[in-house]
Amino acid sequence: MTWTVGFDLDMTLIDSRPGVCKAIEQLATEFGLSLRGAELADRLGPPLAMLLADAGAPEELVPALVTRYREIYPSIVPYIPAMPGADAALDAVRARGGRVLIVTGKHEPLARLHVAELGWRIDEVVGDLWSDGKAAALREHGADLFVGDHEGDMRGARAADVFALGVTTGPCEADELRTAGADFVLGELTEFPDWLAAR
């Protein structure tokens, strides 16, 4: 029987912070805003529009900011590395005959750029989904397990009734991930192959 492991992207499989910081700083300069790239990069998880609004961007400018950000973004993809252990985690799933699914809040075309840049073989990439909204994609693609770094990822897994595996490489601490529904929490993705082998 085919089994599927879903992964979040930002701060789970890739360390988006350097590139996101760079893109936000450019956006702030172009629009004359006091946005701080490092602050937004440290809160990755929610959709960009939500992050921008929470950072104080004028509501009427948010759609234009999102559009311009997406125009800038392809130029920063080469600056965004895989998280430590990401390749080994994907390989571990493949070694056991599993399928790999990415479900992310990132705009899907941009998510696919990362997959191509890193040379990953991913069975399905679904973007533009956040928190409980991830549940539909997890159910549709038959995920048995979802790995993520954010409370929203854990809520999405719980809503889909799949095993929720947290990893503390993003903005959320282990207790926050457990409170949001994590069945188990890893410190880093480097621990994933051994954890999977023990299941």
Side-chain angles (χ1 to χ4, degrees), residues 78-97:
Y79 298 97
I80 297 179
M83 291 293 286
D87 291 280
L90 298 176
D91 289 345
V93 175
R94 296 285 185 201
R96 295 188 60 178

Side-chain angles (χ1 to χ4, degrees), residues 35-123:
L35 300 172
R36 296 184 180 276
E39 291 181 5
L40 268 76
D42 283 342
R43 300 203 313 273
L44 288 173
L48 177 62
M50 186 184 301
L51 288 174
L52 289 167
D54 289 347
E59 182 179 350
E60 67 276 10
L61 274 184
V62 168
L65 290 168
V66 170
T67 297
R68 180 58 182 142
Y69 179 89
R70 289 175 177 173
E71 292 171 351
I72 295 168
Y73 198 90
S75 69
I76 67 170
V77 168
Y79 298 97
I80 297 179
M83 291 293 286
D87 291 280
L90 298 176
D91 289 345
V93 175
R94 296 285 185 201
R96 295 188 60 178
R99 298 173 70 252
V100 176
L101 164 71
I102 288 176
V103 183
T104 175
K106 187 180 291 298
H107 189 45
E108 187 171 312
L110 304 183
R112 291 182 179 277
L113 289 179
H114 287 291
V115 171
E117 176 73 19
L118 292 164
W120 287 339
R121 184 165 62 93
I122 306 295
D123 294 286

